[in-house]
Amino acid sequence: MHNRIALLFALLGTALSIMATEAPATACPLVKVKVERLADLNHPRAGHSVLCLGNEMMVAGGHTTGFIPTPTAEYLSHGKWHELPMLYNHDDGLALVLHSGKVMLAGGHKEPLGIGQTFPIEMYDPATHSFEGIGSLDRSRSLCQAIEIDSGRVVIAGNWYADDGIELFDGKKASAHANDVSTGRAAPFIFRIAPDDVFIVGSLNVKGAPTSTPMVERLRGEAFADSLLSTWHPLPILLNNPGNDFIGDASQGVYAHLVVLENDEGQMALAKVSKSGFELLPTACPIPTRSQWGDINYYSPLVVDAKAHRSYLAGTDAHRRLYVLCFGYGHYEDLGSHSPTRAIPLTLYYTDPLPPDCGFAQPVLTAEGNLLFAGGTLENNFQPMASVFLLRFGQPASQPGLGGAWRWGAILLLVGLAAGAWWHVRRRRHRQDAEPELPAEVTTETPAKKHDALMERICQVMEQEKLYLRSDLKVYDVAARLRTNSRYVSDCIKHHEGVSFTYFVNRYRVEHAMRSMDDNPDTKITEIYIDSGFANESSFFRAFKLVTGQTPREWQAERHRLHDP
């Protein structure tokens, strides 16, 4: 008997281990990693660029203590950072590693405190550790981005508190206007979708405010609206240097990228970008936006490790803990609707809270497949950090003696054995007991009754606690207040009201605004929408028209006619 049970456990464990590689999981695995401190930079820096140039790490530009731009760069050699003079300031400028191995640096703030924009372009040669001034941008820029296309040409777009547009650098000295844009952006995402064409998107306008435009700019052709971007938007990130998000194969004519999107309900998703547009990808579990220690604020672009077929996204929490979310995306041919559906596995890595002298910087992938963080800030741009640290992913930090496949195989086998034991005990108990081990009210309640009860609780907290007055309210906040799941809340609202969570909340806000305008007709619209929970005027007008069929002014005029015939 015992032998049969043991054999059953082993077989079931093996089966579950195999199934775990194919079936979606319900929770994101959480793995702790250690922070390996390296030598500090010579200068504290923020708004800088961090690059991996073969086996050499390089830091360029940015601003130092006091929010003062620094025209210097540093490279890491023999465990020490060596300082180099640059020709120009590049605080929040662009830094692009070219196919030639050289680095193009351009733009940035003209003055301290992040003010103004600049024109100069210079080139860094890692072989000689030297800089050469080579030309000028077509327009002065800061918080711009760039990507190299065919024949060494470079597409440049984005600006900060100034006009935007697309320009094309010839790879030598000249840069010229190439195309207008429908919407100006700061630190946009630029995706190469053909040898000579790109998509440009972003969720920040030129003043750094979030924008939810579905418009996609192109180098070749007119801007167009992507239907997916009407509800999902790129994560709002102030990029200091381009993310390494390419997953295609240019030599085979395949151009594909990864990007993280979010919707108005606070949910996040992974998407593939190609010439066909934007396409959501299935993940084995929802992208975690909260840990046991609090909310996770993701702040970096995706960093792709093409050799390992993994991509990383960095985030923080209120306790200075660092998170790195890993997407095991596999090969680009496995992604999307033209191939068998495969849920992308996620792993959330986390650290202990960082020391007070460590800043949060955008990660860069090293030649060994690890992530390096250099400089950055904790609280403000006036006090950047000089810290440099490493998270090891080339070899798993938690068990360096085991290969990744063996480690995960062992974990899955143990999980399978544990699940097998649980299943056996559960089955025996079920046979012994006349009723299952759940409260009677749970087992007898129908799904419709559950929906009704949850909807009643949702309306109760919205009306009694006025949660809708929070401009940053997300579906997760309501779910956390009710101690339930975000998806249950969204599905319940859609089932009962036939609307999205965003519309449901905005309806409360609009009703609050109408009461305020009725009671205080002389109050300015600005005060009305802020007091009603709207983040900005445009979202207020859009929601008001959607709910009432009228603009606020039209509604007020009609109310005035009714009260004073």
Side-chain angles (χ1 to χ4, degrees):
M1 179 64 179
H2 291 294
N3 290 336
R4 287 199 299 270
I5 293 174
L7 179 61
L8 172 65
F9 283 1
L11 292 174
L12 184 58
T14 302
L16 288 173
S17 298
I18 295 172
M19 290 169 61
T21 64
E22 300 175 351
T26 58
C28 182
L30 194 64
V31 178
K32 186 175 182 179
V33 290
K34 292 183 179 180
V35 172
E36 182 178 331
R37 191 74 180 260
L38 304 182
D40 285 359
L41 300 171
N42 290 290
H43 298 285
R45 295 177 189 264
H48 57 298
S49 300
V50 187
L51 304 167
C52 178
L53 308 175
N55 292 318
E56 178 182 294
M57 304 306 302
M58 179 224 186
V59 173
H63 60 263
T64 189
T65 305
F67 214 148
I68 300 173
T70 173
T72 64
E74 304 181 38
Y75 68 95
L76 182 63
S77 178
H78 302 290
K80 183 180 178 181
W81 291 93
H82 301 267
E83 187 174 356
L84 298 169
M86 299 169 62
L87 299 179
Y88 311 106
N89 293 324
H90 297 291
D91 181 19
D92 279 335
L94 70 85
L96 178 67
V97 182
L98 303 174
H99 296 150
S100 65
K102 295 184 178 181
V103 179
M104 174 184 175
L105 300 110
H109 298 302
K110 184 177 181 180
E111 302 175 27
L113 308 181
I115 298 173
Q117 307 81 29
T118 62
F119 286 97
I121 303 174
E122 60 185 303
M123 200 73 75
Y124 171 69
D125 186 347
T128 59
H129 294 131
S130 61
F131 292 86
E132 176 189 7
I134 60 169
S136 170
L137 295 170
D138 179 67
R139 68 180 64 190
S140 59
R141 297 178 185 266
S142 59
L143 279 169
C144 51
Q145 291 300 309
I147 194 168
E148 188 175 10
I149 56 173
D150 59 348
S151 305
R153 297 182 299 169
V154 176
V155 180
I156 304 166
N159 215 341
W160 179 252
Y161 278 80
D163 291 338
D164 189 13
I166 304 172
E167 62 182 90
L168 197 59
F169 177 64
D170 64 5
K172 298 177 182 177
K173 291 183 180 296
S175 187
H177 177 77
N179 210 345
D180 294 328
V181 293
S182 62
T183 303
R185 296 172 173 84
F189 292 88
I190 305 181
F191 304 113
R192 189 181 182 191
I193 50 92
D196 63 344
D197 201 4
V198 301
F199 285 167
I200 303 174
V201 299
S203 54
L204 297 173
N205 63 24
V206 293
K207 294 186 178 181
T211 177
S212 56
T213 175
M215 299 303 294
V216 180
E217 315 295 338
R218 297 190 68 166
L219 175 63
R220 307 295 179 194
E222 299 294 325
F224 67 94
D226 188 283
S227 59
L228 182 64
L229 298 184
S230 297
T231 51
W232 292 89
H233 321 295
L235 214 57
I237 296 170
L238 283 177
L239 306 170
N240 290 331
N241 51 287
N244 174 22
D245 50 40
F246 187 70
I247 59 169
D249 186 347
S251 66
Q252 299 296 319
V254 178
Y255 297 92
H257 305 255
L258 293 178
V259 64
V260 174
L261 307 177
E262 67 173 358
N263 61 19
D264 291 337
E265 298 178 3
Q267 298 169 323
M268 297 174 63
L270 184 67
K272 183 181 77 171
V273 187
S274 65
K275 63 182 179 181
S276 301
F278 291 73
E279 179 182 359
L280 293 183
L281 300 175
T283 54
C285 58
I287 293 179
T289 57
R290 185 177 176 83
S291 74
Q292 65 192 78
W293 301 283
D295 293 336
I296 302 173
N297 174 37
Y298 293 106
Y299 69 86
S300 80
L302 280 174
V303 177
V304 165
D305 183 345
K307 295 179 181 178
H309 298 299
R310 291 182 293 192
S311 185
Y312 301 102
L313 180 70
T316 67
D317 65 17
H319 307 286
R320 301 199 309 275
R321 189 174 277 103
L322 179 66
Y323 298 86
V324 174
L325 182 61
C326 174
F327 301 87
Y329 68 87
H331 198 263
Y332 67 86
E333 290 180 345
D334 298 329
L335 302 176
S337 58
H338 301 296
S339 63
T341 300
R342 185 184 71 86
I344 295 173
L346 309 183
T347 303
L348 182 62
Y349 296 91
Y350 71 98
T351 70
D352 286 328
L354 296 183
D357 64 338
C358 281
F360 292 114
Q362 292 185 18
V364 63
L365 187 74
T366 70
E368 298 77 23
N370 301 314
L371 292 184
L372 182 135
F373 299 76
T377 64
L378 274 179
E379 296 180 355
N380 60 68
N381 277 304
F382 291 87
Q383 295 176 319
M385 302 295 175
S387 59
V388 180
F389 57 89
L390 192 72
L391 299 186
R392 292 194 178 274
F393 294 99
Q395 293 181 345
S398 55
Q399 299 217 16
L402 293 177
W406 283 104
R407 180 168 62 91
W408 281 109
I411 291 173
L412 290 173
L413 182 58
L414 290 174
V415 171
L417 291 173
W422 174 86
W423 175 83
H424 180 73
V425 172
R426 183 75 176 175
R427 186 178 180 188
R428 290 190 63 187
R429 287 183 177 177
H430 183 74
R431 287 176 175 176
Q432 293 171 358
D433 300 333
E435 298 293 334
E437 299 177 5
L438 292 172
E441 66 268 21
V442 174
T443 59
T444 59
E445 189 176 34
T446 64
K449 287 182 178 180
K450 288 182 180 180
H451 267 304
D452 293 342
L454 179 57
M455 193 67 212
E456 184 177 345
R457 294 169 61 204
I458 293 171
C459 293
Q460 186 177 31
V461 297
M462 294 295 289
E463 294 164 7
Q464 293 182 1
E465 301 181 21
K466 292 183 170 52
L467 295 182
Y468 57 86
L469 296 181
R470 291 174 46 183
S471 62
D472 61 345
L473 183 70
K474 304 291 186 184
V475 66
Y476 170 80
D477 301 316
V478 177
R481 173 63 184 82
L482 298 176
R483 298 181 182 276
T484 186
N485 185 280
S486 298
R487 182 163 293 178
Y488 294 164
V489 174
S490 296
D491 290 348
C492 182
I493 291 173
K494 188 169 288 292
H495 172 79
H496 272 269
E497 303 292 324
V499 298
S500 67
F501 173 80
T502 300
Y503 184 94
F504 177 75
V505 173
N506 281 342
R507 191 167 60 192
Y508 274 103
R509 291 169 175 160
V510 169
E511 291 171 355
H512 183 92
M514 290 191 294
R515 289 193 297 270
S516 297
M517 288 189 289
D518 244 355
D519 296 340
N520 306 285
D522 296 330
T523 304
K524 294 181 178 179
I525 289 293
T526 303
E527 296 180 27
I528 294 293
Y529 79 71
I530 291 176
D531 291 341
S532 301
F534 287 98
N536 52 62
E537 188 174 5
S538 62
S539 62
F540 168 61
F541 274 82
R542 185 168 58 248
F544 199 99
K545 184 70 179 288
L546 196 61
V547 171
T548 68
Q550 299 174 304
T551 67
R553 296 300 184 195
E554 291 171 344
W555 184 86
Q556 282 183 312
E558 183 176 331
R559 297 290 290 179
H560 182 72
R561 287 195 301 271
L562 292 175
H563 284 95
D564 300 301

